[in-house]
Amino acid sequence: MSATELLTDSLANFLNIYLLLIFVRILLTWFPTVEWMNQVAGFLSPITDPYLNIFRSFIPPIGGLDLSPLLAIIVLQLVAGLFGGMA
């Protein structure tokens, strides 16, 4: 395995793990009253919110529903797919 393949494969894996963290963060917002989930959400917020805030800045909530994570996930999947396809 060459260094380029290792780098692109590592980036694709990192993006897939980050995507999983975003999914967990979004799911945790559906259950705000469970106490132990607040600790997990508190850990994930500083990791995922900077990326999600990029999309929140130009996609306003519609009827109290934040749809920006959908676009954020699609973009992340496309980028991960590009890196995965390069390997």
Side-chain angles (χ1 to χ4, degrees):
M1 179 181 271
S2 72
T4 305
E5 289 174 341
L6 180 63
L7 180 63
T8 56
D9 193 38
S10 297
L11 283 172
N13 287 335
F14 170 77
L15 292 175
N16 286 325
I17 292 169
Y18 194 70
L19 182 63
L20 179 65
L21 293 176
I22 289 174
F23 275 124
V24 170
R25 170 76 170 103
I26 292 168
L27 289 175
L28 289 176
T29 62
W30 295 353
F31 307 102
T33 58
V34 179
E35 299 248 349
W36 65 268
M37 288 190 184
N38 290 334
Q39 293 174 345
V40 177
F43 171 76
L44 291 177
S45 292
I47 297 169
T48 58
D49 282 356
Y51 175 70
L52 293 173
N53 287 339
I54 294 169
F55 297 94
R56 288 179 181 142
S57 67
F58 59 87
I59 301 175
I62 300 170
L65 186 62
D66 185 13
L67 298 176
S68 59
L70 292 174
L71 182 60
I73 288 169
I74 291 169
V75 169
L76 197 59
Q77 284 181 324
L78 288 172
V79 172
L82 288 174
F83 282 116
M86 291 175 150

